[in-house]
Amino acid sequence: MTAARGRTGRPPLTEARRTEIRRGIARAAVDLFVTQGVASTTGEQIGRAVGLSARTVWRYFPSKESCVGPLFSEGIDTITAFLREWPSGQPLEQALDRWLTAGPGIAGGPDRATVGALVRLTRTEPGLRAVWLQAYDEAEPAFARALAERAGLPAGDLRVTIRAAMFNAALRAAVEHHAWRGAPAEGERTATEAELEATLRQALAVAAEGVR
């Protein structure tokens, strides 16, 4: 009887490494979309920018537009974490102060300038628009679970469902309102960052009315 042969070939990728690869592809895709347009960008170019083959890119994403999905998802994840960590009884303004000042991205999310450039493209690129809207469609149940945990209510409670929908709509409207005004000049970025924070505060405050 012969001994079983050990497994050969490359070791399987860890989930952290797969996430890193997906994020790298996403950022490369955005850079190419912004500089040369979506129609002129190929899977080969996206892969080359991160040292991968086009075949590997398509292993992770079904289309070039879907490559940007992780950037939208990262932003949604940071908002979900904020809702889950928002202490009961703490005014929204205080919670937002800590969250919005956590770093150059929104509390560990993707860079705001990158997301802004991407959201601007969704206005004229139907494929990217579909990915953007899908991200928010998938976000709503996550928002509902976070708000339900905070309030000690079932995730399917109608009040929670409505509140999650309000947060979802308010955030999307705020980000689009800010992004569609156009890219800021180099010297205007600090003021633009402050405007984005003010817009998010206003949108979240409206959606949070009645939440304790």
Side-chain angles (χ1 to χ4, degrees):
M1 181 176 180
T2 59
R5 293 182 179 179
R7 183 173 180 175
T8 61
R10 296 180 180 178
L13 295 176
T14 65
E15 187 59 35
R17 178 55 181 155
R18 285 193 290 269
T19 298
E20 182 183 348
I21 292 172
R22 288 172 60 85
R23 186 181 295 119
I25 292 172
R27 293 186 183 279
V30 173
D31 289 342
L32 288 166
F33 291 165
V34 171
T35 56
Q36 65 184 35
V38 176
S40 298
T41 298
T42 66
E44 288 77 9
Q45 291 174 325
I46 295 171
R48 194 180 308 127
V50 288
L52 300 172
S53 67
R55 183 176 180 179
T56 301
V57 172
W58 303 140
R59 192 178 302 143
Y60 282 90
F61 299 100
S63 68
K64 60 185 177 182
E65 291 87 355
S66 66
C67 288
V68 305
L71 294 183
F72 291 147
S73 297
E74 282 182 44
I76 296 298
D77 288 345
T78 64
I79 294 162
T80 303
F82 162 73
L83 294 177
R84 186 173 289 113
E85 295 167 5
W86 175 15
S88 180
Q90 184 182 63
L92 177 69
E93 293 77 10
Q94 291 180 17
L96 282 174
D97 283 339
R98 178 173 55 83
W99 182 58
L100 291 173
T101 58
I106 298 178
D111 178 78
R112 299 180 192 183
T114 299
V115 174
L118 184 53
V119 174
R120 280 189 288 278
L121 284 175
T122 67
R123 199 171 194 179
T124 56
E125 295 288 344
L128 292 181
R129 183 70 178 170
V131 176
W132 169 244
L133 294 178
Q134 181 181 358
Y136 272 90
D137 185 56
E138 293 172 353
E140 202 159 299
F143 291 172
R145 287 192 295 271
L147 289 170
E149 289 175 16
R150 183 179 183 277
L153 294 170
D157 187 277
L158 180 60
R159 291 166 293 177
V160 170
T161 301
I162 292 173
R163 188 63 62 188
M166 291 176 66
F167 264 99
N168 204 23
L171 285 164
R172 182 168 67 84
V175 173
E176 290 181 349
H177 174 80
H178 176 78
W180 289 350
R181 294 174 62 187
E186 188 64 35
E188 298 176 348
R189 288 188 178 177
T190 300
T192 302
E193 288 279 313
E195 289 177 8
L196 173 57
E197 289 189 7
T199 303
L200 287 169
R201 288 176 190 278
Q202 182 178 3
L204 288 170
V206 171
E209 290 179 1
V211 177
R212 296 290 182 268

